[in-house]
Every structure is written in C-alpha cells, then in structure tokens.
C-alpha cells in the first residue's frame, strides 16, 4: 500500500507536452490555438472566457506558459455563481469581488503542462494564493473512476492541446480550499475526519472551514494543523487495550487530543520553523526540532512528552491555513 509520504510528495513534473508545428496553416503559422483561443472556440466554455476577461487574465493565459488549465464548463460556472450569491458574472463588479474571482480562476491553473496520463494521486500547487502570498495546494486523485481535484471536480474532457499548455475540462468550479477541503478529499485522513465530526465533539469541521471575515467579525483563522494519518490513529487505538475503535475514546479526552493538533491565528509553513520552536496549540504546547529522523523534515515532542513524532509531509496550503502531516497522534499534557 502506498504510504502517505509517497502520495503527498508526488512530483507533478509531467513530461512537457511539446506541441510542435506538425500542422501549419496557409500562412506558415501553427494551427494549434493558445489556451484562451481554445476556450473561445468552445461553446461550452463561454462563461470561462467571460470570467477571464473580467479578471484580466486573458493576456496571462495567451502569452504565458506552459500551463495546465482546469476549465470549468458553463454549467459548473452557473452552480458556482449561485453558491457564491451572484445571479451572473455581471454582478461581480467591486474591486474585492473581482480580486476574489481572479484568485478562484488562478486556482484552476497549474504551472507546467500535465497530461492526464501523468496525473498521480497527491498534492500540487496552483497559481492562486492565500493572503500571505503562498500558493494554494490542490489535491489530485487518479483512479479507475477518472481524475478529480480537491474531491469536488472531475475531468470530463482531457488533454486538449494548446500552444502554451494543455486544458482539461472539469464539471465543477474548484473554489479555494480550506483545511477541511483537504481533510475530506484525502482518504488518508478518514480517521481524523471521523474524530472531528463525532457527535460528541465541538463543531470542528465548521470552525476549520472558516475563512477570514466569513462572519463579518474580523476573525482571521490562519490555522496550522498537524494532521495524523489513519495509520497514526490505528496505532493510538492499539495503545490502549480498552479501545477497539475510535468510538471507544472518551469524548473529553478526544476533544483535548484534537485541540492539541491545531494552532490558530498563524499560518506556520515549514520555512517558518526554527529548531526548538514551541508553538502554543489550542490545547497545550508542542516542541518542534529540525531536522527529523530518517530524512523527514521535522520531529515533534508532544505535550505529554512523547518524542520523535515524525512530520512526514509539509505545507499543504489552504486559503485559511496550512496542514503538516504527522505519523503519530499527539497527546497533550492534560
């Protein structure tokens, strides 16, 4: 079975889809359109073209590259506009709304040309950013059912060649992800999601899905989440003879444990870490040492004094925080 480190460290360095001038028009130029021209020629991508024009991204996707563009079809744009509270693109007119639209569109653009055969399950980065300017991650999944992104959008037409990249048509607009987006999309976090959503727990999923200003209260979440894998939760359950499943863990204890994995109001990326740093979590504090063992980027001592907890993947960047993946569940002092 593939390990989480292999899945998350997947390299999205696909073979460059070299579009040569194998077909020329009468004037001797290439007949292969650029990304914008390809979208303009498709009756099912008219909303995308209009959105690119409104967000001032036409020039970028005409002359830049190489890019992989995940192109939502017209139906996808219609559903997304409804979700965001707009009747049409024409209603997006303030500078703040246009900036948000631009970031949504950039969340569909990946640097480099990635054809469908080169897509493996794991994480990559888009050109969208959070408030700090960090590029947002995107979770790509490839299996017998096809290719999907962030657990919310599937490819319906793949490998449309452009002179400056490749286009894959998708059936949903991929909104900027929260930390909850990645937790629910990535099957390696199924136990974590089950713990966060257990009926006797606080509304963790709602809290961790919050974005800046979502409730007009000025709250800036910027969560840093140390996310244990399913294997980590299995080891935790095996550590107590009285536990046979996640449901056997006392509710108050589980709450404390989950809070021990989250720091709020700080988007702490791996580059921000220093050896011996001790961030205060929502429950207790932890100590992080650099580097980790066995080639891992870092290791943690939890509040209970358990040492050498491996950080096995870092910087899964959401719009409201960042996830680092750990190989053991951390226990607070309490």
């Amino acid at each position: 079975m593939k390990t989480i480190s292999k899945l998350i460290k997947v390299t999205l360095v696909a073979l460059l889809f070299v579009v040569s001038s194998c077909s020329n028009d009468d004037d001797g130029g290439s007949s292969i359109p650029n990304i914008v021209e390809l979208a303009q020629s498709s009756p099912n991508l008219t909303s995308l073209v209009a959105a690119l024009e409104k967000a001032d991204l036409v020039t970028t996707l005409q002359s830049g590259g190489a890019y992989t563009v995940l192109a939502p079809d017209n139906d996808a744009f219609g559903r997304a506009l409804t979700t965001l509270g707009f009747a049409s693109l024409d209603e997006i007119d303030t500078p703040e709304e246009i900036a948000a639209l631009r970031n949504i569109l950039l969340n569909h653009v990946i640097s480099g040309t990635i054809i469908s055969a080169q897509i493996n399950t794991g994480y990559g980065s888009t050109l969208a950013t959070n408030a700090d300017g960090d590029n947002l991650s995107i979770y790509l999944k490839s299996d017998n059912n096809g290719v999907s992104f962030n657990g919310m959008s599937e490819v319906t037409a793949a490998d449309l060649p452009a002179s400056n990249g490749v286009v894959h048509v998708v059936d949903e607009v991929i909104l900027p992800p929260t930390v909850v987006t990645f937790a629910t999309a990535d099957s390696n976090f199924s136990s974590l999601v089950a713990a966060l959503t257990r009926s006797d727990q606080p509304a963790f999923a709602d809290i961790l899905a919050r974005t800046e200003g979502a409730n007009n209260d000025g709250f800036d979440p910027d969560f840093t989440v140390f996310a244990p894998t399913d294997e980590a939760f299995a080891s935790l359950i095996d550590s107590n003879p009285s536990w046979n499943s996640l449901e056997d863990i006392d509710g108050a204890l589980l709450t404390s444990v989950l809070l021990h994995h989250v720091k709020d109001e700080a988007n702490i990326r791996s580059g921000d870490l220093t050896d011996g740093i001790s961030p205060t979590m929502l429950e207790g504090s932890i100590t992080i040492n650099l580097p980790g063992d066995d080639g891992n980027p870092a290791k943690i001592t939890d509040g209970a004094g358990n040492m050498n907890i491996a950080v096995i993947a870092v910087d899964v960047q959401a719009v409201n925080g960042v996830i680092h993946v750990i190989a053991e569940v951390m226990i607070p002092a309490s």
Side-chain angles (χ1 to χ4, degrees), residues 183-184 189-201 204 230 233 246-247 254 258:
T184 55
F189 299 136
S190 60
S191 295
L192 175 60
V193 172
L196 291 170
T197 58
R198 214 173 78 172
S199 60
D200 60 352
Q201 295 302 297
F204 282 123
D230 287 350
F233 272 98
L246 189 65
E247 294 299 319
L254 182 61
L258 293 172

Side-chain angles (χ1 to χ4, degrees), residues 150-170:
N150 284 358
M152 66 176 65
S153 187
E154 297 182 355
V155 173
T156 58
D159 301 334
L160 306 181
S163 61
N164 59 338
V166 66
V167 173
H168 307 295
V169 179
V170 296

Side-chain angles (χ1 to χ4, degrees), residues 93-334:
D93 53 13
T94 69
E96 294 78 14
E97 291 168 350
I98 292 173
L101 173 64
R102 181 182 177 88
N103 210 41
I104 290 171
L105 292 171
L106 289 174
N107 199 46
H108 296 74
V109 183
I110 302 171
S111 291
T113 305
I114 306 170
I115 60 174
S116 58
Q118 297 293 323
I119 295 176
N120 297 307
T121 298
Y123 290 91
S125 295
T126 72
L127 299 190
T129 61
N130 65 357
D132 296 334
D134 303 308
N135 288 99
L136 301 184
S137 299
I138 187 168
Y139 182 68
L140 303 92
K141 183 177 181 180
S142 178
D143 57 23
N144 293 333
N145 295 319
V147 175
S148 62
F149 303 96
N150 284 358
M152 66 176 65
S153 187
E154 297 182 355
V155 173
T156 58
D159 301 334
L160 306 181
S163 61
N164 59 338
V166 66
V167 173
H168 307 295
V169 179
V170 296
D171 63 357
E172 295 293 343
V173 171
I174 308 168
L175 297 175
T178 67
V179 293
V180 172
T181 302
F182 294 128
T184 55
D186 189 339
S187 60
N188 291 285
F189 299 136
S190 60
S191 295
L192 175 60
V193 172
L196 291 170
T197 58
R198 214 173 78 172
S199 60
D200 60 352
Q201 295 302 297
F204 282 123
D206 292 338
I207 295 168
L208 293 173
R210 288 191 61 181
T211 54
E212 184 176 3
N215 291 1
N216 297 316
D217 57 6
F219 177 65
D220 181 7
D222 269 348
F223 300 110
T224 299
V225 179
F226 293 88
T229 63
D230 287 350
E231 289 84 356
F233 272 98
S235 295
L236 174 67
I237 293 167
D238 289 343
S239 70
N240 190 322
S242 300
W243 295 341
N244 294 309
S245 72
L246 189 65
E247 294 299 319
D248 295 327
I249 301 176
D250 174 77
L253 172 61
L254 182 61
T255 300
S256 294
V257 167
L258 293 172
L259 290 173
H260 194 53
H261 290 76
V262 181
K263 178 171 180 55
D264 65 343
E265 299 186 353
N267 190 93
I268 304 174
R269 291 176 61 85
S270 60
D272 301 321
L273 299 176
T274 56
D275 187 40
I277 189 173
S278 294
T280 300
M281 314 301 281
L282 292 179
E283 169 75 28
S285 62
I286 62 176
T287 300
I288 302 172
N289 289 108
L290 307 177
D293 299 324
D294 301 322
N296 291 312
K299 57 188 175 183
I300 297 173
T301 300
D302 65 17
N306 299 302
M307 302 174 67
N308 301 324
I309 297 171
V311 179
I312 56 178
V314 296
D315 299 338
V316 178
Q317 184 64 60
V319 73
N320 69 335
V322 65
I323 296 174
H324 307 299
V325 185
I326 56 177
E328 298 176 47
V329 176
M330 299 190 297
I331 308 299
S334 60

